[in-house]
Amino acid sequence: MTTTPDLLARAGAWLAEDPDPDTREELAKLIAAEDVPELTTRFAGTLQFGTAGLRGELGAGPMRMNRSVVIRAAAGLAAYLKDQGRAGGLVVIGYDARYKSADFARDTAAVMTGAGLRAAVLPRPLPTPVLAYAIRHLGAVAGVEVTASHNPPRDNGYKVYLGDGSQIVPPADGEIAAAIAAVGPLDTVDRPATGWETLGDEVLDAYLTRTDAVLDAGSPRTARTVYTAMHGVGTAVLTAAFDRAGFPAPVLVAEQAEPDPAFPTVAFPNPEEPGAMDLAFAAARHANPDLVIANDPDADRCAVAVPDPAADGGWRMLRGDEVGALLAAHLVRRGATGVFAESIVSSSLLGRIAGKAGLGHEETLTGFKWIARVEGLRYGYEEALGYCVDPEGVRDKDGITAALLVAELASVLKEQGRTLLDLLDDLALEHGLHATDQLSVRVEDLSVIADAMRRLREQPPAALAGLSVVSAEDLSRGTDRLPPTDGLRYRLDGARVIVRPSGTEPKLKCYLEVVVPVGSADALPAARARATELLTGIKRDLAAAAGI
């Protein structure tokens, strides 16, 4: 058991090498006040580097995101790259507009330079997909993006890509984590004040030129949009991409158009969160566009809403699975070839669309680090609003090119006097109504998630919403097509459920899908009502089974 003197001594040693005056002041106050509960939390271990890199709350101490933690992460990454024979290679560094992002990017550049690698930093806060593009465009051996994506304002993160432009996967994550753990005192990490390159706009211009390629030459470009960057970095890049493509200039949600690390108008800067789109919908009711498009703060995700008289306020957010299916159908219509891929928590509708078109289909573990590695990938998506529509350019989700493709599809349908909702109806008639939902529980105490997973493993449900559980798989054992992951998959008669802890947030996430056959257009309302009834019942019964 750690004693108070030991805890204060550890905190004092951390303080002595902390290079950031802000966190030094914060930690000094905690030490002076002998705030044992807070110091115990800050020094309970170290923020773990994994397949999502690092992500956590900003603050002093090894369990927080700060310059000391980032310098160690950069030093570990540099050591790993050199051990892999990449000494002297280029590392490209991007960053968003969150608190400390620019500092973390600069520290990373300094560490790489000191380690004998070449470092290049993007010119200003830019979307994550620009960094993912730059890695391949510049022939880099690795890339780092400083971002916490759609997390709350108090968080920041550190995402690592290797030279293929994809995010890291095992065993690289473990090897980098081991190299980070081996880093000695910070004063042994060489951090010169100069020596790296700050890139100009050439890489951004090349990325924007590449965005044109996702559209069909000569396709209609008439869809009118309202756009929100959700206080992130998307506005300038998305509006430039839309202008180059010849779409009408999006109407901006002014209150959310400029980067602001405080995210003052939203509780969580995630388009999926309740209330996050309220200002966008208010702007849409005034502007009367064809679409509402939203990016998350680092613009790698894309949310879409459409006019719907039956929806509260006249606008309906499409689910990520709905947008995923719509883009797939659009690419099929355009004659796409290759493999369509998705994560296991996404809708099975993609497989049906690909199968009917004679295209390959693959399911992967959650995350674009897996989707982007599918051989022959032409299109990939996952339900959390992530779409990869140009894998040769960006091997990651890209909210800018996805927005362009959605706008093109809406324009094609508009010329036919149709809408995205009409195309969704077509897909339901062709393949059955695929309805998805999510039961997501945010926790303060992570043991709640562990207890729920244990309970479900020990006492798996026999039925949910009256549907028999046909099979129950513990994904931690792996399958013939998937490596092990902490998750459970239930197949029901006409439904599917996957339960897993979130990899980036303190959440237990349960992904639900029901498939209801539809015989005719007249039967669609009844099918939707049945799907809603089943999803509600599955949520209720699953929550009871998990004890949440």
Side-chain angles (χ1 to χ4, degrees):
M1 182 176 177
T2 303
T3 65
T4 297
D6 288 341
L7 181 62
L8 292 173
R10 287 174 59 205
W14 184 276
L15 177 66
E17 65 173 18
D18 188 342
D20 189 333
D22 294 336
T23 45
R24 284 178 58 83
E25 179 182 359
E26 176 188 321
L27 186 54
K29 288 179 179 176
L30 293 174
I31 294 171
E34 295 192 9
D35 189 339
V36 172
E38 185 62 23
L39 288 170
T40 298
T41 300
R42 304 285 186 101
F43 287 84
T46 58
L47 204 59
Q48 291 301 299
F49 186 93
T51 52
L54 294 168
R55 196 177 292 189
E57 186 175 345
L58 290 162
M63 289 295 288
R64 296 287 186 266
M65 280 296 297
N66 51 63
R67 290 183 60 197
S68 297
V69 165
V70 164
I71 289 166
R72 289 181 179 280
L77 175 59
Y80 166 82
L81 291 171
K82 292 167 74 174
D83 188 56
Q84 296 291 311
R86 305 299 188 187
L90 174 68
V91 178
V92 189
I93 302 150
Y95 59 103
D96 67 11
R98 285 178 177 266
Y99 296 119
K100 298 291 181 181
S101 286
D103 293 339
F104 295 167
R106 187 170 55 251
D107 282 331
T108 300
V111 170
M112 295 300 162
T113 303
L117 291 137
R118 293 180 295 125
V121 184
L122 294 181
R124 57 186 171 278
L126 287 168
T128 293
V130 177
L131 180 278
Y133 169 80
I135 295 165
R136 287 163 60 79
H137 179 68
L138 296 174
V141 298
V144 171
E145 176 70 17
V146 180
T147 181
S149 190
H150 57 275
N151 276 38
R154 63 178 181 271
D155 291 356
N156 212 329
Y158 198 81
K159 186 183 292 189
V160 175
Y161 299 75
L162 293 182
D164 64 354
S166 300
Q167 297 175 49
I168 54 168
V169 295
D173 58 340
E175 293 167 357
I176 295 169
I180 294 169
V183 174
L186 283 194
D187 62 9
T188 67
V189 178
D190 188 14
R191 290 183 287 130
T194 60
W196 59 88
E197 180 185 3
T198 299
L199 296 167
D201 279 344
E202 296 84 6
V203 169
L204 176 59
D205 290 342
Y207 167 82
L208 286 169
T209 298
R210 179 83 197 186
T211 64
D212 298 346
V214 306
L215 303 175
D216 251 358
S219 64
R221 313 283 167 90
T222 56
R224 296 177 301 108
T225 59
V226 160
Y227 171 73
T228 175
M230 207 64 68
H231 298 294
V233 297
T235 297
V237 179
L238 182 131
T239 53
F242 270 55
D243 179 61
R244 291 174 62 100
F247 286 105
V251 174
L252 302 181
V253 179
E255 301 93 330
Q256 299 174 335
E258 296 302 318
D260 187 336
F263 304 108
T265 69
V266 290
F268 287 92
N270 179 353
E272 293 179 296
E273 293 284 346
M277 295 289 287
D278 287 355
L279 288 172
F281 291 156
R285 285 189 286 271
H286 179 72
N288 196 31
D290 302 299
L291 293 171
V292 171
I293 289 175
N295 288 139
D296 65 340
D298 68 326
D300 63 350
R301 287 174 170 83
C302 177
V304 180
V306 294
D308 183 354
D312 186 27
W315 282 84
R316 174 187 155 198
M317 270 280 286
L318 297 181
R319 291 190 169 277
D321 284 317
E322 292 176 313
V323 177
L326 287 168
L327 291 179
H330 183 46
L331 290 171
V332 166
R333 184 197 63 80
R334 284 180 23 178
T337 59
V339 177
F340 283 12
E342 62 184 323
S343 60
I344 57 171
V345 300
S346 304
S347 173
S348 60
L349 178 55
L350 183 69
R352 289 181 167 87
I353 293 170
K356 183 159 186 180
L359 302 177
H361 173 251
E362 292 287 340
E363 283 188 322
T364 74
L365 293 183
T366 307
F368 271 83
K369 56 185 175 283
W370 299 107
I371 294 171
R373 285 181 159 76
V374 168
E375 188 173 348
L377 181 68
R378 172 59 184 89
Y379 167 64
Y381 98 92
E382 65 179 1
E383 53 73 43
L385 309 183
Y387 314 95
C388 175
V389 302
D390 178 24
E392 289 305 307
V394 176
R395 289 192 178 177
D396 199 2
K397 54 187 176 292
D398 183 346
I400 305 298
T401 50
L404 285 169
L405 204 60
V406 168
E408 179 184 61
L409 172 56
S411 299
V412 169
L413 293 168
K414 186 177 180 179
E415 287 211 341
Q416 300 168 358
R418 288 159 44 82
T419 68
L420 297 181
L421 295 180
D422 293 326
L423 181 53
L424 286 173
D425 286 350
D426 291 349
L427 293 174
L429 290 169
E430 189 172 1
H431 303 287
L433 177 67
H434 290 63
T436 58
D437 203 352
Q438 191 177 127
L439 172 63
S440 182
V441 181
R442 186 181 293 271
V443 302
E444 294 293 331
D445 181 359
L446 291 177
S447 69
V448 173
I449 294 175
D451 288 345
M453 295 297 290
R454 176 185 51 77
R455 182 167 171 165
L456 288 170
R457 284 188 167 103
E458 292 176 356
Q459 297 177 295
L464 297 168
L467 301 177
S468 297
V469 175
V470 177
S471 67
E473 293 175 278
D474 186 343
L475 298 176
S476 66
R477 298 170 184 159
T479 73
D480 58 345
R481 301 185 68 85
L482 298 171
T485 187
D486 187 9
L488 301 165
R489 177 163 59 183
Y490 304 113
R491 299 187 190 279
L492 295 85
D493 185 13
R496 184 210 64 197
V497 174
I498 294 176
V499 184
R500 60 179 283 272
S502 170
T504 56
E505 298 176 272
K507 282 183 175 182
L508 181 69
K509 303 182 92 170
C510 310
Y511 304 84
L512 324 175
E513 179 179 42
V514 299
V515 182
V516 180
V518 184
S520 67
D522 292 341
L524 273 169
R528 290 199 176 93
R530 175 59 176 159
T532 300
E533 176 189 358
L534 287 171
L535 290 169
T536 301
I538 292 172
K539 271 190 185 181
R540 178 195 62 235
D541 293 352
L542 186 62
I548 53 177

